[in-house]
Amino acid sequence: MPSHFENIMQSARTLEPMLRQLREEFHRHPELSGEEYRTSARIGEVLVDEGLEIMDLGLETGIVARLPGEVDAPTVALRADIDALPLAEQTGLAYASETPGLMHACAHDAHIAWGLGAAVILSRMQDRPPGEIRFLFQPSEEKTSGARVLIDAGALEGVDYIFGGHNKPDLPSGVVGIAEGYLMASSGRFSFTLVGRGGHGAIPHLTIDPIPAAATALAGMQTIVSRNVSPLDSAVVSVGSVHAGTAGNIIPSEVEITGTMRSFRPEVGDLVETRLRELVEGAARAHGCRVEWTTLSRGVAAVNNHPGATGLARDSMVALLGEDNVVEAVPVMASEDFSLYQEEVPGCFLWIGSGYADSLDGPGWHHPEFAANPDCIPIGAAVLAASAIGALSAQ
Ligand code: NI
């Protein structure tokens, strides 16, 4: 008798034409974070057609559905994010975005198709293990704010495990990356203004020039990772914008600086934030300026894969794809609000290969020419379905 996992892959293959079509439809109609109205409605249609129960959580966008299980059996949640980005698509695909300036440049269109595919596979599965399976179609991942909305609305109530995945263009389609522990970083933002007193460029002694203060601050910030964070830890401090001045002979009154900081362990995040503040304020003081902080925020926690959930997912992936197609995931310093679910229940986030084996260095996430390999559509659906079945069967 074929195993659950063989059945899952077979169902995914059978559903492939439908799922690819859905993916193309979502790709054509990208919507920004918090504005996923059409997307949510369409997801709901497919789920209702398939007989899933939509949970009444009062969501503005996003949708949560369930396949009910027996009362005493566990509940497993699967999460797919659904939002797009403000980027003009340049893929040249037949199903490219029809909304100017918006694009599924992180391939969440594929994630939606995976989630829907998993829902259809599992709802049609004959001898599904007892236990509820819940499907979280989350809005606003790109703003790392949608997970909080779903959690606060009660989407995780009664959930024992949660699984999710992100497409990974540098992994070939058909391969899954999995790792216990940190997979994606905690993301913080900073923006501040160094305020001095402007004046004539030829009469600098009567001004308080914020530009040398900015130079000192910027140089100092480079030492946070190199001199303060342990070489055995990971952190990033990147300055993304520096704005000041209008002409070569005018000393400006202000310099505005913005950037991002990333880390895995919360203690490292604390250290980075503390040193950033000290270095910027020290530089300002040394040059007679003051600092106005607009933002100094830590953002969402790091994606941290729970050992138990990861073990279950790994076993399921090996059973589904074979040992050779399950690799150790390489963490990245990008961030994801899947971490918020993991703060509530044991969870595992996977890399689901979406690349082309012969060109793994093509355009990546958030690039106007990026699109996931369509071959990953049935695989991702099977991966999510298998994660749920693996966890329910292990109980
Ligand atoms: Ni993404």
Side-chain angles (χ1 to χ4, degrees):
M1 208 178 86
S3 73
H4 276 315
F5 297 103
E6 284 164 332
N7 286 335
I8 287 171
M9 192 51 90
Q10 205 170 15
S11 306
R13 292 289 175 209
T14 308
L15 293 170
E16 180 168 355
M18 179 191 94
L19 297 178
R20 284 175 69 143
Q21 210 172 1
L22 279 166
R23 179 273 173 123
E24 291 178 14
E25 180 188 330
F26 288 112
H27 194 90
R28 276 195 174 93
H29 301 288
E31 292 176 301
L32 286 176
S33 308
E35 299 172 16
E36 308 92 336
Y37 295 101
R38 183 197 181 284
T39 306
S40 304
R42 185 71 180 107
I43 293 168
E45 265 174 38
V46 177
L47 295 171
V48 168
D49 279 354
E50 199 55 36
L52 276 90
E53 184 185 318
I54 308 295
M55 292 176 72
D56 183 12
L57 300 177
L59 299 172
E60 179 77 13
T61 59
I63 188 161
V64 179
R66 58 195 283 263
L67 285 169
E70 288 170 19
V71 178
D72 294 333
T75 296
V76 173
L78 300 175
R79 180 274 209 158
D81 46 358
I82 67 172
D83 52 338
L85 287 157
L87 202 65
E89 179 158 355
Q90 294 171 17
T91 60
L93 287 168
Y95 53 91
S97 169
E98 292 174 10
T99 309
L102 299 193
M103 176 188 176
H104 266 296
C106 204
H108 296 180
D109 53 328
H111 300 180
I112 303 169
W114 296 346
L116 288 174
V120 176
I121 292 168
L122 294 167
S123 77
R124 294 182 188 178
M125 185 179 260
Q126 296 292 335
D127 48 352
R128 198 172 70 226
E132 176 179 332
I133 307 170
R134 204 170 295 174
F135 301 89
L136 276 57
F137 290 89
Q138 183 207 301
S140 295
E141 188 285 322
E142 296 292 355
K143 291 189 172 168
T144 57
S145 58
R148 175 53 56 204
V149 173
L150 259 53
I151 293 168
D152 288 348
L156 280 189
E157 259 161 47
V159 169
D160 297 288
Y161 285 106
I162 185 163
F163 299 94
H166 203 290
N167 73 86
K168 196 78 166 46
D170 58 1
L171 270 187
S173 176
V175 174
V176 161
I178 185 162
E180 193 178 305
Y182 292 115
L183 187 71
M184 299 182 77
S186 167
S187 148
R189 291 182 301 131
F190 57 87
S191 64
F192 58 89
T193 305
L194 292 163
V195 184
R197 187 174 65 229
H200 200 296
I203 315 174
H205 58 293
L206 298 183
T207 71
I208 300 171
D209 188 349
I211 288 188
T216 304
L218 292 169
M221 285 153 70
Q222 299 307 317
T223 67
I224 297 174
V225 174
S226 70
R227 303 293 86 177
N228 300 136
V229 173
S230 160
L232 302 179
D233 273 310
S234 301
V236 175
V237 177
S238 288
V239 173
S241 75
V242 180
H243 287 116
T246 54
N249 63 350
I250 301 172
I251 290 169
S253 293
E254 297 181 353
V255 180
E256 288 176 20
I257 295 174
T258 68
T260 183
M261 45 193 177
R262 308 289 167 114
S263 56
F264 289 133
R265 293 197 305 119
E267 298 81 358
V268 175
D270 290 342
L271 174 67
V272 170
E273 183 182 333
T274 302
R275 286 301 291 148
L276 183 81
R277 190 184 282 280
E278 287 171 353
L279 284 158
V280 169
E281 290 181 353
R285 211 166 30 248
H287 292 271
C289 296
R290 66 189 164 81
V291 187
E292 286 177 3
W293 289 95
T294 315
T295 312
L296 184 56
S297 74
R298 291 285 292 284
V300 296
V303 171
N304 189 2
N305 284 334
H306 180 272
T310 306
L312 290 170
R314 194 190 301 271
D315 291 347
S316 304
M317 291 309 107
V318 170
L320 182 76
L321 302 168
E323 195 96 46
D324 289 350
N325 292 314
V326 182
V327 299
E328 190 68 14
V330 179
V332 299
M333 301 305 281
S335 51
E336 240 288 351
D337 63 0
F338 189 82
S339 59
L340 272 65
Y341 304 118
Q342 293 178 313
E343 289 176 336
E344 309 286 324
V345 296
C348 180
F349 198 63
L350 305 164
W351 294 144
I352 300 177
S354 65
Y356 294 85
D358 56 355
S359 62
L360 292 172
D361 56 354
W365 298 332
H366 298 208
H367 188 285
E369 291 170 29
F370 171 59
N373 181 347
D375 291 349
C376 81
I377 301 300
I379 305 282
V383 162
L384 290 183
S387 305
I389 291 304
L392 288 181
S393 309
Q395 300 301 311

